[in-house]
Amino acid sequence: MRLYHHPMSSNARRALMTAIHLGLSLELAEVDLMNADDRRRLGELNPNGKVPVLADGDFLLWESCAIMQYLAEQVPGQTIYPLAPKARADVNRWLFWAAQHFAPAISVLAWERAWKGMTGNGPADPLEEARGERDLHECAVVLDAHLAGRDWLCGDAVTLADFAVAAPLMYSEAVRLPLAQYQHIEAWFARVRQLRAWQETDVELLPG
């Protein structure tokens, strides 16, 4: 299987973390998102023009959480994507929440405080920064309350849910995510950062 990715993409990172945790060997194909030819070729793989994309023979799969689920299904006996219906639904809940709420809030700040300047789109917009912080705080209240008294998001061990929610936090320092007041998130994220899957996908991010 081949994974088209970029090391600074949190969506690609959550997919790669899944493969590493499962011990799956993937052929990695880095896409230069600043290169027009690479972006054109990416568009041929994914009509949305985004990474990651997983190629398994003739089968092309995009959307990072779908890729995570597909990878888990390749490994008999894996524990990060439970088989029991309620336990699996719980993991799915957080995969969807990460994609629909948490990551979009962080992406506003990542764009304004890093990517915008790197791509020559001008300085950060204070109104957009305020919107991103407001949306992130709304999510953080939910996540922090859920993590009170828990080591991991679902059950007693790490699951796909932890990878999905943690991945966008790779931008924490570079874009100054205002999360220090949320002690349960901070403690959980410290545990995530100790995982081999996190450490082997770590990259240095420069602030915008």
Side-chain angles (χ1 to χ4, degrees), residues 187-207:
W188 163 78
F189 188 40
R191 286 188 286 276
V192 172
R193 293 198 302 270
Q194 294 303 308
L195 297 173
R196 181 173 68 91
W198 182 273
Q199 294 179 359
E200 291 189 9
T201 55
D202 212 9
V203 294
E204 183 177 352
L205 298 173
L206 298 177

Side-chain angles (χ1 to χ4, degrees), residues 13-191:
R13 183 172 187 169
R14 58 166 65 126
L16 186 53
M17 287 175 67
T18 300
I20 291 172
H21 184 88
L22 291 167
L24 288 172
S25 179
L26 298 181
E27 178 186 349
L28 298 181
E30 183 173 329
V31 179
D32 183 353
L33 298 174
M34 301 296 184
N35 181 281
D37 288 336
D38 270 22
R39 290 198 307 273
R40 177 185 55 77
R41 285 190 288 268
L42 177 62
E44 295 172 355
L45 300 171
N46 178 1
N48 299 292
K50 296 181 179 180
V51 292
V53 179
L54 182 72
D56 186 3
D58 294 333
F59 178 55
L60 293 175
L61 183 63
W62 31 268
E63 292 301 317
S64 59
C65 291
I67 292 171
M68 295 168 74
Q69 293 168 335
Y70 183 78
L71 292 174
E73 296 282 10
Q74 309 307 305
V75 181
Q78 57 78 27
T79 59
I80 60 171
Y81 194 38
L83 297 178
K86 290 181 180 178
R88 177 163 287 201
D90 190 24
V91 171
N92 287 338
R93 177 221 317 267
W94 289 103
L95 295 183
F96 299 149
W97 183 84
Q100 184 69 25
H101 301 288
F102 196 54
I106 292 174
S107 70
V108 173
L109 296 174
W111 169 253
E112 292 297 330
R113 294 175 177 175
W115 289 105
K116 195 174 185 181
M118 291 169 60
T119 55
N121 284 282
D125 181 338
L127 292 179
E128 282 296 285
E129 288 186 281
R131 179 174 72 88
E133 291 202 2
R134 182 180 65 249
D135 291 350
L136 181 56
H137 281 303
E138 289 179 359
C139 292
V141 168
V142 172
L143 182 59
D144 197 65
H146 178 75
L147 285 167
R150 299 172 183 265
D151 286 341
W152 306 105
L153 276 169
C154 302
D156 298 325
V158 65
T159 65
L160 295 183
D162 298 288
F163 294 161
V165 176
L169 292 176
M170 66 186 286
Y171 305 118
S172 292
E173 294 182 8
V175 302
R176 307 181 304 282
L177 296 182
L179 293 172
Q181 72 194 74
Y182 299 104
Q183 61 179 3
H184 303 303
I185 294 177
E186 291 287 286
W188 163 78
F189 188 40
R191 286 188 286 276

